[in-house]
Amino acid sequence: MNTFNFPVLDNWWQAETGWAITSTNIGLGNRTNPPQGVTGMPVPGWNVKVIRQDGSKTDPMELGQIVVKLPLPPGSFSTLWKNEEKFEETYFKCIPGYYNTMDSGYRCEEGYISVLTRTDDVINVAGHRLSTGALEEAILESEDVVEAAVVGVPDDLKGQIPLGVCVMKHGVKKSEEEVIQGVVNKVRQLIGPVASFKQAVIVPRLPKTRAGKTARNTLAAIAAGKPYKIPVTIEDATVYPAIHKALTDAGFPPK
């Protein structure tokens, strides 16, 4: 809670861009009380679009891929060191004429941009594109969970279904089954039945890099029964045996 009655304003930028892509620009007339959860409006010089997989423009509040129409403004990166081919392939080949930010989010009716997750962390459940970040936020509304990661696992009917990997708060007296049911109910309440969120597992700890990021790719691989390598940046690789056991006990990967 902001007890000092000051506005809290966000912005969004990337290492590649060198400066903010979206921000709350008071001098340009942006208001100091923007909608909750947004990163601001496009900064002058940035022609920001939110598009679907087929390249069409999304409707307001519809999750899509965030791209920037070329040319990029001065101050942005102009190449990769001694690798012009990878520069073009990584950032510009996927959507010709646009810089691919590799982030997903939405634009509201007023034009504010909300950045939700990396594009790789969007899962497709029965034709609905869902942000794992939004699902994780819903899980963390549970009073019994201190950390959570959501990954998509293969499903014959829906393509993918979300799976929550959760860490219980210290001192919680409820059983794991009760905590999981509470998590499922919380996601259903905040996201809705469209998420098809019905499964979660409890683990002692999540695999984290030294920078504090959760290695979701390894969790998804374990749940799907796919081979994987533990990243060299993982701070403590000894967390994996307990994760394997929890997922195996929960029936992952499916037989």
Side-chain angles (χ1 to χ4, degrees):
M1 181 180 293
N2 182 5
T3 58
F4 297 101
N5 201 31
F6 296 144
V8 178
L9 306 174
D10 202 355
N11 67 84
W12 168 56
W13 67 287
Q14 298 179 323
E16 292 90 343
T17 67
W19 52 298
I21 303 172
T22 64
S23 181
T24 302
N25 304 294
I26 304 302
L28 298 177
N30 294 171
R31 55 191 176 96
T32 58
N33 60 334
Q36 184 176 358
V38 302
T39 62
M41 286 191 173
V43 174
W46 296 95
N47 189 350
V48 181
K49 309 286 185 183
V50 184
I51 62 174
R52 302 185 181 99
Q53 288 179 306
D54 62 3
S56 61
K57 184 179 177 181
T58 58
D59 295 325
M61 307 304 291
E62 178 186 353
L63 181 67
Q65 189 164 349
I66 304 174
V67 297
V68 178
K69 188 172 178 58
L70 299 179
L72 296 179
S76 306
F77 73 151
S78 57
T79 188
L80 293 178
W81 176 251
K82 294 185 177 181
N83 202 339
E84 183 69 23
E85 183 178 346
K86 187 172 181 63
F87 173 69
E88 293 287 341
E89 182 178 344
T90 301
Y91 297 99
F92 306 102
K93 189 174 181 179
C94 179
I95 309 164
Y98 290 88
Y99 163 63
N100 180 12
T101 71
M102 289 174 262
D103 280 331
S104 294
Y106 62 81
R107 180 193 296 269
C108 75
E109 294 276 3
E110 298 179 64
Y112 285 94
I113 301 293
S114 180
V115 182
L116 294 179
T117 189
R118 295 296 284 174
T119 300
D120 288 347
D121 292 329
V122 173
I123 59 177
N124 199 326
V125 181
H128 298 282
R129 287 167 57 79
L130 300 174
S131 161
T132 57
L135 293 170
E136 289 167 3
E137 287 184 12
I139 291 174
L140 292 175
E141 289 294 319
S142 167
E143 61 182 8
D144 303 314
V145 174
V146 67
E147 286 188 307
V150 173
V151 297
V153 294
D155 181 78
D156 291 338
L157 180 62
K158 298 184 177 182
Q160 285 182 302
I161 55 172
L163 169 68
V165 184
C166 310
V167 178
M168 289 171 55
K169 289 182 179 177
H170 180 71
V172 172
K173 302 300 183 183
K174 297 177 184 177
S175 68
E176 290 189 2
E177 290 75 15
E178 290 176 308
V179 172
I180 289 172
Q181 187 58 54
V183 164
V184 171
N185 292 341
K186 184 63 69 173
V187 173
R188 187 176 183 86
Q189 172 192 344
L190 297 176
I191 305 294
V194 68
S196 296
F197 186 84
K198 299 177 181 178
Q199 293 179 296
V201 297
I202 303 297
V203 298
R205 287 182 297 163
L206 294 175
K208 296 286 189 72
T209 68
R210 296 181 184 90
K213 295 182 179 180
T214 301
R216 291 177 180 82
N217 287 346
T218 59
L219 295 176
I222 295 170
K226 296 180 179 179
Y228 68 96
K229 291 183 179 179
I230 298 176
V232 295
T233 55
I234 290 294
E235 185 174 21
D236 184 2
T238 65
V239 302
Y240 281 99
I243 293 172
H244 270 279
K245 184 178 186 307
L247 289 170
T248 300
D249 292 346
F252 293 95
K255 303 298 184 184

